[in-house]
Amino acid sequence: MGDGERAAAYCDIGTGYVIYRGPSVDGSLHAHAAFQLARAPHGEVVVLDAAGTRHSAAALLVAPMVRHRMQATAADVVTVFIEPHCAFADRLRERCAGRGITAAGELRGLGEDELRRTVARPSARLDARLLAAMGALAAGAVPMPALAAGVGLSPQRLRALAQRQLGMPLARWRIWRRLTGAAEALRGGGSLAEAAATAGFADQAHFTRQLREMTGLTPSAVLPLLRASSPAPASDPVPDPVAGGDVDGD
């Protein structure tokens, strides 16, 4: 593809990852429960951190729960979100250790097929009990006492384990999973209210609030990006990329 040609926008949502290619839009400061790898096929991608510092490179890696916002651009940007409990995330943890946002030009060349293989495998470095708890949460809301008991830990030890190894409460990761489910419903033609209900949010306002907190965008900004995108081409290259109570709460 030549420099003057623009690829069709697409969005691919799978287990453990989201890939989006298209124009980026201005959003507010936010922090999501996944690694974000963004690259500009031509030129640079720009991310602003919570202090307003400008980070620019051909590819940037943002660690989970690091507050930032993308700078809008009319040019296409490839953005990949990778959940923290997969094998590929082990590599990303090493890459951005101690750095919230870092240039990652060496990660540009990984193809989508390899990405899907690596996110399909569980982390080799996270505690098996934490992985089991995340698997249980992926199937639905589970109160913390039952979740912890199911993996042989106290609630306090499970919370501490998640914070130490994931850098976030399990509740935040669970909300991210619900948001990806809502995005799938919207991409499939569902209304905002239907997407919110399908993903288990209390109502549309709850969905909107959580979407803004984790993506910096409102549903009205996300919907055109999802609806306009075509299915991802199989061989297209992408970059190498709780408080107490119910874990499923805010």
Side-chain angles (χ1 to χ4, degrees), residues 11 13 178-199 201 204 207-208 211 215 217-229:
C11 181
I13 302 172
R178 291 164 118 191
L179 288 173
T180 60
E184 286 186 274
L186 290 173
R187 185 166 177 257
S191 68
L192 292 176
E194 290 168 341
T198 297
F201 292 103
Q204 189 172 321
F207 167 48
T208 298
L211 184 67
T215 70
L217 301 174
T218 63
S220 61
V222 170
L223 190 57
L225 303 178
L226 291 171
R227 294 279 172 85
S229 65

Side-chain angles (χ1 to χ4, degrees), residues 146-239:
L147 184 67
V151 298
L153 292 171
S154 68
Q156 294 77 11
R157 288 189 64 192
L158 180 56
R159 291 190 191 101
L161 184 62
Q163 192 64 50
R164 183 173 68 252
Q165 295 199 343
L166 298 177
M168 73 187 83
L170 285 173
R172 302 309 295 168
W173 173 78
R174 172 63 176 152
I175 291 169
W176 176 259
R177 291 297 297 264
R178 291 164 118 191
L179 288 173
T180 60
E184 286 186 274
L186 290 173
R187 185 166 177 257
S191 68
L192 292 176
E194 290 168 341
T198 297
F201 292 103
D203 50 34
Q204 189 172 321
H206 184 210
F207 167 48
T208 298
R209 183 172 72 253
Q210 297 295 350
L211 184 67
R212 182 184 289 275
E213 287 183 7
M214 283 211 178
T215 70
L217 301 174
T218 63
S220 61
V222 170
L223 190 57
L225 303 178
L226 291 171
R227 294 279 172 85
S229 65
S230 60
S235 59
D236 194 66
V238 298

Side-chain angles (χ1 to χ4, degrees), residues 104-128:
E106 76 281 6
L107 300 181
R108 295 183 73 179
L110 187 70
E112 289 184 13
D113 289 343
E114 185 178 352
L115 172 68
R116 292 186 183 95
R117 285 195 299 272
T118 56
V119 298
R121 299 196 305 271
S123 166
R125 300 181 186 176
L126 296 182
D127 191 293

Side-chain angles (χ1 to χ4, degrees), residues 15-19 34-38 61 80-96 104 106-126 238-241:
T15 301
Y17 71 91
V18 176
I19 302 170
F35 288 93
Q36 178 181 0
L37 185 59
L61 178 63
V80 186
F81 294 99
I82 303 104
E83 293 193 16
H85 58 296
C86 69
F88 190 50
D90 290 339
R91 178 179 179 184
L92 300 182
R93 263 184 287 275
E94 286 186 357
R95 182 63 184 78
C96 64
E106 76 281 6
L107 300 181
R108 295 183 73 179
L110 187 70
E112 289 184 13
D113 289 343
E114 185 178 352
L115 172 68
R116 292 186 183 95
R117 285 195 299 272
T118 56
V119 298
R121 299 196 305 271
S123 166
R125 300 181 186 176
L126 296 182
V238 298
D240 190 350

Side-chain angles (χ1 to χ4, degrees), residues 20-117:
Y20 169 75
R21 182 179 66 199
S24 63
V25 297
D26 254 333
S28 58
L29 282 170
H30 62 280
H32 36 65
F35 288 93
Q36 178 181 0
L37 185 59
R39 74 170 173 93
H42 309 290
E44 294 185 331
V45 62
V46 178
V47 172
L48 303 178
D49 64 24
T53 303
R54 185 179 186 271
H55 302 259
S56 62
L60 288 172
L61 178 63
V62 183
M65 305 313 297
V66 171
R67 287 176 62 75
H68 67 285
R69 67 182 182 88
M70 295 283 293
Q71 188 172 82
T73 175
D76 284 350
V77 172
V78 179
T79 301
V80 186
F81 294 99
I82 303 104
E83 293 193 16
H85 58 296
C86 69
F88 190 50
D90 290 339
R91 178 179 179 184
L92 300 182
R93 263 184 287 275
E94 286 186 357
R95 182 63 184 78
C96 64
R99 292 172 291 182
I101 303 172
T102 183
E106 76 281 6
L107 300 181
R108 295 183 73 179
L110 187 70
E112 289 184 13
D113 289 343
E114 185 178 352
L115 172 68
R116 292 186 183 95
R117 285 195 299 272

